[in-house]
Amino acid sequence: MAEVQGGMKPSLPTSGNGGILGSLFPVLPRTVLLIVPVLFVAVLIIGPLSIMAAVSFWTKTGFTMKPDFSLEAYRTFLGGVRLSIFFRSLVVATFATLIMIVIAYPVAFLIARRVRADLVRSVLFLFSVPFLVNYILRTFAWTDILGRSGWVNEVLLWLGVVDAPLDWLLYSQFAVYLGLVTAYMPFMIFPIWLSLAGIDRRYEEASWMLGEGPLRSFWHITLPLSLPGVFAAAIFGFVGAFGEFAVSTVLGGTGYQLLGNSITSALDVINYPLAAAMSTFTVGVMAVLLTLWFRAFDLRIFLAKILD
Amino acid sequence: MSKQRSSMEHLLMWSFFLLVLVFLYAPLVPPIIGSFSSADGATSAYTEILRDPVLMNGVMNTLLIGILVAVATPLLALALAQALRAWQRPKLILTLVMLPLFVPGVSMGVATALFFRVTGMEASILSMVLVQVLWCLPFATLVILTAMSGFDQVYLEAAHMLGSNPMQAFFEIELPQIVQGLFGAAIFSLILSFNETIRTSIVQGGENTVQTYLWSQYQQIGLSPPLYALMTILILLTLGLIILLAVLDRRTARRAS
């Protein structure tokens, strides 16, 4: 016994070796190693956004701009043709988001509940791959598919379904919605799947055992619990469509503009305060939606799978 | 009876998946066909790229920027993920790093362009790298966080009790376990960098990447076979990198199980 105790003793001072100084010193460089990159990223993200907000109150002088506190840029934005582009963007983004959710939700639901567990990763992967190919390239491609002499019209003519090529396929509202949905929807499936997969199935089983049918269980249990993911996906799709520039240019036809085009056109005439005002407004819309998201939902449920 | 019903359900489900996937994948095909529809032979569109100095310059810029982004982003993302765990402020750091994901590309481009202008930084390769790092960071951080969540922190405590300091414990115990996640984040960043247009084009200055060149050419004169050939190369390169990512992911998953 005495020998064992004697053998234990030397190990005690080792664990307390160096006292406070010793345990503080190795912590210090690690904290610095973390603080520097975090600050760098914070400056790189917050810096541009706040400077943009500031510039939106500046005034344009010739080819440059000067610091000011003026609402001129916002007046130009809200009092002219740009206002109608703003309203169009609002309507188009809202409907596009609804369409995307109507497609993405069932896809995510089926992946979470019906696809065999060992296939889930692969199926999610299949749906995510197109998102990684630049959506501008994909948007170019739609012109070849939907044009008057495009694939769809050729097949329809060959089948004898139509006598003359359809001309509403391209340079139309239809083309814009199709472009927006295929551009942003692949990315919406993942967050919805994430929140569906994180739901404790016992809630649904309890609802079943208490006599609710599958539809009512879905409506009262599954759907509400999956809302954090749906809302995150919706913000992503909505903000993307709202500030869109490429789909509208390529698929909307001559003169068709969304807010992104309005912003780049302000850049083209070197009106930085105006571009800043419209961008700030867009970011503001996003910030409001994101704040609502944070307020309404417990993020820990949504992020449980990632943060553990 | 119920077996019949479930196989019917499965058929319906996979048909639905197939329909959505057709819409998502269809746009990947026309550029490939377009690149071979050149009047004088199939390969000429590809050799024309090599002969065009402006295009080749764009290709070199794209590669250089891609590599810089793929090195810088995972390192920053690793620091963010470690800080997130060490400081116990997941909400704050995640909100910060996820922000660029929710800001439309045009707005983020305008914001960074003004930031560089006001701080007196010239538009250059560096400004293009920075704006792309911001865009890749949310994805890279999520990839690394996922890798870190598969690592049991008990090992760090064990290392601490055996007398190693946090830095040693990180480099000798945790890093080897999550290094696959770092590679994954790097490939992911490379893919996103090769496929970024609008943020880059607003801060590009005089330099072009393949993507910004494609976009400006489309707006000025439209697309030609060599441009289709470039799009084809980008699409195939992206798909190749995605397959690499999938292989890496599978290997990590197998090792974990």
Side-chain angles (χ1 to χ4, degrees):
Chain A
M1 275 302 264
E3 258 179 28
V4 173
Q5 271 184 350
M8 289 279 284
K9 260 186 181 162
S11 74
L12 276 175
T14 323
S15 65
N17 196 10
I20 294 169
L21 263 178
S23 58
L24 197 72
F25 184 68
V27 171
L28 217 63
R30 189 176 79 132
T31 311
V32 173
L33 263 179
L34 293 184
I35 280 182
V36 172
V38 170
L39 277 183
F40 177 72
V41 170
V43 168
L44 211 57
I45 293 173
I46 307 293
L49 291 175
S50 24
I51 282 185
M52 179 173 75
V55 168
S56 73
F57 296 106
W58 292 10
T59 42
K60 173 179 151 57
T61 52
F63 286 114
T64 169
M65 53 195 178
K66 71 166 199 286
D68 200 349
F69 190 80
S70 139
L71 290 173
E72 195 190 306
Y74 287 94
R75 230 172 275 134
T76 318
F77 171 30
L78 296 172
V81 66
R82 291 176 198 277
L83 189 66
S84 65
I85 297 174
F86 164 73
F87 279 120
R88 175 195 285 161
S89 300
L90 203 63
V91 171
V92 168
T94 308
F95 280 109
T97 308
L98 287 176
I99 297 170
M100 290 189 259
I101 288 176
V102 165
I103 301 169
Y105 197 93
V107 171
F109 183 84
L110 289 170
I111 295 175
R113 294 296 148 82
R114 294 286 184 273
V115 170
R116 259 193 5 237
D118 55 329
L119 290 178
V120 165
R121 274 182 102 88
S122 312
V123 177
L124 270 176
F125 182 72
L126 268 181
F127 279 99
S128 324
V129 166
F131 174 74
L132 294 172
V133 174
N134 189 350
Y135 82 97
I136 294 177
L137 303 192
R138 289 185 278 137
T139 306
F140 287 154
W142 281 119
T143 60
D144 288 336
I145 298 175
L146 301 174
R148 281 184 67 88
S149 55
W151 301 1
V152 174
N153 270 322
E154 275 186 12
V155 169
L156 288 178
L157 284 170
W158 182 73
L159 287 174
V161 179
V162 292
D163 300 322
L166 300 172
D167 52 13
W168 54 265
L169 287 175
L170 187 60
Y171 307 133
S172 60
Q173 288 280 343
F174 168 78
V176 170
Y177 280 111
L178 184 65
L180 287 174
V181 168
T182 48
Y184 293 105
M185 200 206 61
F187 191 69
M188 293 172 68
I189 293 172
F190 186 71
I192 301 177
W193 171 82
L194 203 60
S195 63
L196 277 168
I199 295 174
D200 191 336
R201 295 296 293 273
R202 280 172 297 187
Y203 291 127
E204 286 161 23
E205 282 157 19
S207 164
W208 276 67
M209 279 193 272
L210 292 170
E212 292 281 27
L215 265 179
R216 282 177 66 89
S217 297
F218 172 79
W219 188 253
H220 290 291
I221 309 291
T222 315
L223 186 64
L225 285 174
S226 66
L227 281 182
V230 175
F231 206 76
I235 297 175
F236 180 82
F238 179 83
V239 175
F242 188 59
E244 183 53 46
F245 72 102
V247 170
S248 40
T249 307
V250 180
L251 300 175
T254 322
Y256 188 93
Q257 293 196 338
L258 290 175
L259 201 61
N261 304 104
S262 208
I263 295 173
T264 47
S265 76
L267 280 181
D268 289 339
V269 297
I270 330 185
N271 192 339
Y272 295 118
L274 180 58
M278 288 189 284
S279 286
T280 306
F281 190 87
T282 316
V283 174
V285 170
M286 185 268 316
V288 169
L289 290 173
L290 223 49
T291 313
L292 283 177
W293 184 55
F294 272 127
R295 283 280 156 79
F297 302 113
D298 185 353
L299 262 179
R300 270 167 303 179
I301 298 173
F302 179 56
L303 294 170
K305 274 190 109 68
I306 293 172
L307 291 179
D308 204 326
Chain B
M1 175 66 187
S2 87
K3 196 171 180 186
Q4 220 171 20
R5 208 185 127 209
S6 98
S7 71
M8 187 66 194
E9 260 180 19
H10 263 94
L11 190 71
L12 275 175
M13 175 179 87
W14 288 105
S15 323
F16 174 58
F17 281 176
L18 195 68
L19 183 72
V20 177
L21 286 172
V22 163
F23 272 91
L24 295 182
Y25 280 82
L28 302 185
V29 184
I32 301 175
I33 294 172
S35 74
F36 287 109
S37 69
S38 172
D40 43 347
T43 49
S44 75
Y46 289 88
T47 48
E48 242 174 272
I49 300 172
L50 294 170
R51 267 184 263 134
D52 188 338
V54 181
L55 262 181
M56 278 314 284
N57 185 39
V59 171
M60 295 324 259
N61 281 342
T62 302
L63 288 176
L64 176 65
I65 292 171
I67 290 167
L68 290 175
V69 169
V71 172
T73 315
L75 294 177
L76 282 174
L78 177 65
L80 285 164
Q82 290 283 327
L84 188 150
R85 194 179 62 194
W87 302 343
Q88 293 293 313
R89 303 298 295 270
K91 246 188 173 179
L92 188 73
I93 293 178
L94 267 184
T95 311
L96 175 74
V97 71
M98 293 296 144
L99 213 52
L101 200 59
F102 292 101
V103 178
V106 178
S107 299
M108 204 64 218
V110 169
T112 34
L114 289 170
F115 180 68
F116 293 149
R117 229 188 131 76
V118 170
T119 54
M121 187 175 147
E122 292 281 322
S124 64
I125 297 282
L126 183 65
S127 63
M128 293 199 263
V129 169
L130 285 178
V131 82
Q132 290 194 359
V133 165
L134 276 189
W135 167 233
C136 300
L137 213 46
F139 300 94
T141 309
L142 281 183
V143 170
I144 291 175
L145 274 176
T146 315
M148 276 168 54
S149 77
F151 169 77
D152 195 337
Q153 288 187 58
V154 161
Y155 292 114
L156 288 182
E157 280 168 39
H160 181 68
M161 280 196 275
L162 291 170
S164 80
N165 67 46
M167 291 289 281
Q168 264 178 313
F170 170 73
F171 280 108
E172 284 169 29
I173 312 291
E174 185 173 12
L175 191 60
Q177 297 286 318
I178 61 167
V179 76
Q180 299 266 24
L182 275 173
F183 280 124
I187 298 173
F188 216 119
S189 307
L190 198 60
I191 294 172
L192 291 170
S193 164
F194 285 162
N195 287 290
E196 213 297 311
T197 305
I198 188 62
R199 297 169 185 79
T200 320
S201 80
I202 295 179
V203 299
Q204 71 183 116
E207 298 288 340
N208 258 310
T209 67
V210 174
Q211 296 286 359
T212 62
Y213 184 75
L214 279 170
W215 179 239
S216 66
Q217 286 296 301
Y218 172 82
Q219 286 181 297
Q220 284 160 21
I221 51 172
L223 297 170
S224 55
L227 295 186
Y228 274 119
L230 265 184
M231 286 161 68
T232 306
I233 294 173
L234 279 171
I235 290 173
L236 294 181
L237 191 64
T238 303
L239 294 181
L241 286 170
I242 291 171
I243 290 170
L244 186 64
L245 200 62
V247 170
L248 208 69
D249 185 60
R250 175 153 294 190
R251 210 191 285 166
T252 320
R254 198 183 303 147
R255 226 174 47 170
S257 68

